[in-house]
Amino acid sequence: MRASAIAAAVLAVVTGAGCGGGSGGKTTATAPTPTPVRVRVDRNGDRQFQMGDNPTGIVAAGGRILAASVDGTVTRVAPAADRILGGPITVGDETADIAAGDDAAWILAKRDDPDTPKVDWFVVRLDPASGATRVVARVLGYDPNELAVDRDTIWVTEASRHAVERFDARSGRALGAQIHTGPEPWGLAVGGRSAWVGDSKTGTLTRVDARSGRIAGRVAGFPHRVAGFVEEVFEIAVDNGSTWVLRDGTLVRVSAGRIIGRAHLSGLDNTGNLGIGVGALLVSTESRPARVYRVNPRTGRQLGTHARPIVFANAINGITYLDGSVWVATNDGDPGTPDEIVRTTR
């Protein structure tokens, strides 16, 4: 999820970020620090790892946990060793989102050019094992929200062009024309040969055929902006034939092109995150204290084995699952200070 606060960027930009969306950029290897940073264990038994300020997402890729932050860095954790791998990896002046592919993490990263008013966004590929980075594609607009990667295709929602953009994950080449799913595309997930795109202004969920890029269907009936302000977030997850949408404090299940159920979890606020666990849909809040719910992906109800949410002191800006643990990127709300990756088995 894209973080709401914008931190001042003071770190260097990845080498080769000036390339366009063609042949990709120069690979930059990030050398690990000699001594890995050890984990801190709190009174709940949760493992806590320091990361950059204001998380923009967290994913599991290549057997590692990777968390991106607004300050333009990505932090890697080795779950088996309970340690941070190397130092923070700088991928740009700022990040907007992070996604997991089969063997890599992909980051939406911004590069500010001090000599021009132009702001450029790029898709950066990060190797989870080595920490090497490569700029793959240049986003065609200046206000991207999310990205998703499926097989060899990168998907990006781009607000300034009111469209979804697709790129070849190897070459960075743009794939076809931009796809206009609505005036304010926000929310993106890919799975089951379809991409799902939310729109905060129309309150619709659009299905795009992942192969052709053609719009294959649209589902209406989600909260949207009529007058005043509605939180501009669609959180979307795809699991076993169902598409789940977290919108305006409600968990909505979509199947066969229609809404088939709504779930209201006690304490769920208007913003949050979705993740997929083993036999569970993970739902987290961005309030403080934050909560994580483990939901039956067939019924939308909390699992009987985990009938109570996991409570965290700080807000949650991202959630994922790996090696029997729930991993969250937490935000203490204090700009300019490091935040934390937390691993829990509660």
Side-chain angles (χ1 to χ4, degrees):
M1 171 182 295
R2 187 171 185 175
S4 59
I6 302 299
V10 295
L11 299 174
V13 182
V14 167
T15 303
C19 71
S23 60
K26 179 179 178 181
T27 298
T28 303
T30 303
T33 54
T35 304
V37 179
R38 292 182 179 275
V39 63
R40 183 170 68 87
V41 182
D42 67 13
R43 63 182 182 180
N44 294 314
D46 295 344
R47 271 64 173 163
Q48 299 182 347
F49 310 85
Q50 184 174 297
M51 64 170 293
D53 180 38
N54 202 342
T56 54
I58 185 170
V59 297
R64 274 81 171 176
I65 293 293
L66 303 102
S69 61
V70 169
D71 63 15
T73 63
V74 176
T75 300
R76 295 178 299 149
V77 176
D82 258 346
R83 290 180 174 178
I84 293 176
L85 292 172
I89 300 170
T90 300
V91 295
D93 294 315
E94 184 183 322
T95 73
D97 197 14
I98 183 170
D102 292 337
D103 59 355
W106 305 79
I107 303 101
L108 269 177
K110 182 176 78 170
R111 179 187 182 185
D112 292 326
D113 187 339
D115 297 325
T116 70
K118 190 173 183 180
V119 174
D120 290 326
W121 285 89
F122 300 88
V123 178
V124 179
R125 183 187 187 277
L126 190 154
D127 184 282
S130 67
T133 60
R134 178 169 63 92
V135 175
V136 174
R138 178 177 177 177
V139 178
L140 304 182
Y142 59 85
D143 190 19
N145 294 326
E146 309 98 345
L147 83 163
V149 181
D150 183 58
R151 297 181 177 87
D152 295 324
T153 304
I154 301 166
W155 299 73
V156 178
T157 56
E158 213 297 305
S160 69
R161 293 176 178 247
H162 318 290
V164 180
E165 301 172 4
R166 296 181 299 152
F167 304 93
D168 183 276
R170 296 181 180 178
S171 68
R173 177 176 57 89
L175 298 175
Q178 296 176 342
I179 306 165
H180 294 277
T181 58
E184 293 187 16
W186 199 297
L188 175 67
V190 184
R193 298 184 179 179
S194 296
W196 296 89
V197 186
D199 190 272
S200 62
K201 187 170 185 178
T202 62
T204 56
L205 180 69
T206 300
R207 183 169 72 88
V208 180
D209 183 87
R211 292 183 176 180
S212 67
R214 295 176 181 173
I215 293 177
R218 184 169 283 123
V219 182
F222 297 91
H224 60 286
R225 185 183 307 163
V226 178
F229 178 79
V230 175
E231 177 64 35
E232 297 178 326
V233 173
F234 266 76
E235 277 291 310
I236 307 172
V238 180
D239 183 43
N240 293 328
S242 290
T243 300
W244 290 93
V245 178
L246 181 61
R247 177 69 173 161
D248 198 29
T250 301
L251 187 59
V252 182
R253 184 184 181 192
V254 175
S255 184
R258 61 188 181 91
I259 295 175
I260 63 172
R262 299 176 187 267
H264 300 273
L265 303 175
S266 177
L268 191 63
D269 54 17
N270 287 345
T271 59
N273 304 271
L274 292 179
I276 302 296
V278 175
L281 180 70
L282 304 174
V283 185
S284 69
T285 70
E286 288 193 0
S287 57
R288 296 182 65 197
R291 293 172 172 82
V292 171
Y293 304 82
R294 280 167 284 200
V295 173
N296 186 319
R298 294 182 180 179
T299 65
R301 298 178 180 177
Q302 285 185 250
L303 292 175
T305 54
H306 299 85
R308 293 185 178 182
I310 310 169
V311 179
F312 295 84
N314 292 321
I316 293 175
N317 283 16
I319 186 168
T320 192
Y321 181 91
L322 182 64
D323 290 347
S325 298
V326 173
W327 298 77
V328 294
T330 63
N331 188 343
D332 63 8
D334 187 3
T337 63
D339 286 305
E340 291 183 319
I341 300 166
V342 181
R343 175 182 188 174
T344 184
T345 56
R346 284 189 278 162

